[in-house]
Amino acid sequence: MNGELPQVDLVVAALYQFVLLDNHKDLREPLLSVCHDAEIKGTLLLAREGINGTISGRREDIDRVLRWLRSDPRLKALQWKESCHTAAPFHRMKV
């Protein structure tokens, strides 16, 4: 081993928030569009009771999606945990 750390290219964010989302069906298309534009992959589940899922992408693109989600006052307290990977764990985006 040469002592160098591997280059981390991707961030994986596991996120959730329990909150009343009466219009969860209306959020699907705009959220999917933001994810596609940011080249994010993974799965996000929207329900009346909130949001849950795991997504992956470049740091700035993950931040873009998280900003979009947290711009909704109901999702301001969105919780997530991150890990870093060198290879893509997901190959599609589904909302």
Side-chain angles (χ1 to χ4, degrees):
M1 211 167 177
N2 61 11
E4 292 181 26
L5 295 175
Q7 180 177 348
V8 175
D9 296 323
L10 297 173
V11 174
V12 175
L15 58 95
Y16 75 95
Q17 184 174 348
F18 296 111
V19 63
L20 179 61
L21 293 176
D22 283 332
N23 67 332
H24 67 279
K25 291 180 182 179
D26 297 334
L27 295 174
R28 182 185 180 276
E29 288 302 322
L31 178 54
L32 187 58
S33 180
V34 168
C35 290
H36 281 298
D37 289 348
E39 299 181 11
I40 294 295
K41 306 289 187 206
T43 301
L44 292 171
L45 303 172
L46 291 170
R48 189 168 195 260
E49 302 82 16
I51 186 170
N52 186 7
T54 306
I55 56 175
S56 69
R58 295 176 305 191
R59 166 87 271 152
E60 62 270 16
D61 298 325
I62 290 290
D63 290 344
R64 178 178 169 189
V65 172
L66 293 173
R67 267 194 313 275
W68 187 89
L69 287 167
R70 295 183 79 218
S71 72
D72 184 320
R74 299 169 298 177
L75 298 174
K76 199 69 173 164
L78 183 73
Q79 299 288 312
W80 73 92
K81 295 190 184 233
E82 296 182 357
S83 60
C84 298
H85 295 266
T86 57
F90 309 115
H91 302 288
R92 65 182 173 103
M93 184 65 222
K94 185 173 182 182
V95 176

